[in-house]
């Protein structure tokens, strides 16, 4: 006597949900971490670290570029090589350094500002992926990831049977709440 076996949809759904979920862990972490970073752009720069020093200086704009450079390098204790200098106006002198720093001297304000910009390597790369600044291949991969997230959200509805099922009020309110929150924000 043989027993005819069909596809166990419940088991198949759980296995697909588990395996696709494992696949999505890395991508979810990248998008979640960069998403938090990008949400707080007003509070910090997630792509770059900007070191800024400001000092009062009493220099005359009649000094030679070389004399200005020597004085400014000593005042800010800068060990970088100078890439270029530039007079933005007769009252603004700028120095550009090989490793990315800039120094701006204002003769009217009697103030010099040194800024050095360094990339935040992990965050910068995560944000680049999150904002789709990578190649077209990444866009296709991101679309696939989005399709996986849609599958994970819908398959989750069929993961659990019985009293803990999302189809019952005891857990179903969580599904409703997850939909209501973005809906409210759309119409605010």
């Amino acid at each position: 006597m043989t027993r005819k076996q069909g596809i166990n949809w419940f088991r198949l759904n759980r296995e697909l949900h588990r395996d696709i979920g494992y696949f999505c862990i890395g991508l979810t972490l990248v998008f979640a971490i960069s998403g938090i970073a990008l949400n707080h752009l007003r509070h910090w720069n997630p792509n770059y670290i900007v070191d800024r020093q400001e000092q009062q200086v009493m220099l005359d704009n009649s000094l030679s570029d070389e004399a200005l450079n020597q004085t400014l390098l000593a005042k800010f204790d800068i060990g970088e090589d100078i890439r270029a200098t530039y007079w933005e106006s007769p009252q603004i002198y700028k120095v550009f350094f090989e490793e990315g720093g800039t120094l701006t001297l204002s003769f009217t304000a009697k103030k010099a500002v040194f800024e050095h910009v360094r990339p935040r390597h992990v965050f910068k790369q995560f944000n680049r992926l999150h904002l789709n600044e990578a190649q077209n291949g990444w866009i296709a991969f991101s679309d696939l990831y989005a399709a996986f997230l849609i599958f994970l959200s819908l398959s989750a509805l069929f993961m659990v049977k019985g009293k803990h099922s999302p189809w019952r009020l005891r857990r179903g309110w969580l599904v409703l709440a997850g939909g209501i929150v973005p809906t409210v924000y759309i119409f605010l």
Side-chain angles (χ1 to χ4, degrees), residues 52-57 59 68-69 72 76 78 84 86-89 91-97 101-116:
R52 190 174 196 275
Q53 298 175 41
E54 185 177 313
Q55 293 198 32
Q56 292 294 318
V57 291
L59 295 172
L68 287 172
N69 294 343
L72 292 170
F76 283 90
I78 299 170
Y86 168 70
W87 284 91
E88 187 175 299
S89 72
Q91 299 301 320
I92 304 288
Y93 179 70
K94 289 193 166 189
V95 181
F96 301 93
F97 296 95
T102 59
L103 197 152
T104 304
L105 170 61
S106 169
F107 292 96
T108 52
K110 300 185 181 342
K111 180 174 68 175
V113 177
F114 173 70
E115 290 184 329
H116 190 266

Side-chain angles (χ1 to χ4, degrees), residues 5-40:
Q5 292 187 346
I7 296 173
N8 184 339
W9 292 105
F10 182 75
R11 182 176 176 185
L12 178 63
N13 181 56
R14 290 179 65 91
E15 289 175 356
L16 285 173
H17 186 92
R18 178 198 62 208
D19 294 342
I20 291 173
Y22 289 161
F23 179 76
C24 290
I25 287 174
L27 285 167
T28 302
L29 288 173
V30 167
F31 278 95
I33 291 169
S34 67
I36 291 170
L38 293 170
N39 280 343
H40 297 278

Side-chain angles (χ1 to χ4, degrees), residues 23-28 30-31 129 132 134-149:
F23 179 76
C24 290
I25 287 174
L27 285 167
T28 302
V30 167
F31 278 95
L129 294 176
N132 280 340
Q135 302 295 324
N136 287 338
W138 181 253
I139 293 171
F141 192 71
S142 294
D143 289 345
L144 179 66
Y145 172 64
F148 284 159
L149 288 180

